[in-house]
Amino acid sequence: MPSVHGPRRARIAFSDSAAKQLENITSEAEIHALDRALVVISVDPDVGEPIPGDTAGPQLRQYADEVESVRVLYFVTALRTVVVVAYIEV
């Protein structure tokens, strides 16, 4: 029997600095744009481009939506169940 539900989504968590950025977003349009970007990332955490850097920690990735004018820097936990947002630009 096929599954009724779609693909499992990763949970979204915010770093302290990203949470502060989130508090400063007051426009409904910006909130909507960010929400759409976070849904895309939660469904497919590999959607963003890897950012070159140190290989000691988790791979930092960047997702940019040109239409919605949103940029999110994030990394994915080892079990791929949580996406940690490090930086938000709306």
Side-chain angles (χ1 to χ4, degrees):
M1 177 179 262
S3 174
V4 178
H5 303 287
R8 184 176 176 104
R9 291 176 27 175
R11 195 182 70 162
I12 301 289
F14 296 92
S15 68
D16 290 341
S17 61
K20 287 179 184 174
Q21 290 173 308
L22 189 59
E23 290 174 2
N24 294 327
I25 298 174
T26 57
S27 160
E28 290 254 352
E30 290 177 339
I31 292 170
H32 178 71
L34 178 60
D35 187 49
R36 287 176 46 109
L38 294 176
V39 167
V40 169
I41 294 168
S42 71
V43 171
D44 181 10
D46 293 324
V47 72
E49 301 172 5
I51 296 176
D54 189 3
T55 58
Q59 173 70 54
L60 194 59
R61 303 182 72 83
Q62 169 182 267
Y63 174 76
D65 184 331
E66 308 300 326
V67 174
E68 297 283 356
S69 299
V70 174
R71 182 173 167 237
V72 178
L73 300 183
Y74 66 97
F75 63 90
V76 184
T77 60
L79 295 177
R80 311 201 56 72
T81 57
V82 179
V83 171
V84 180
V85 175
Y87 175 80
I88 302 167
E89 192 174 284
V90 183

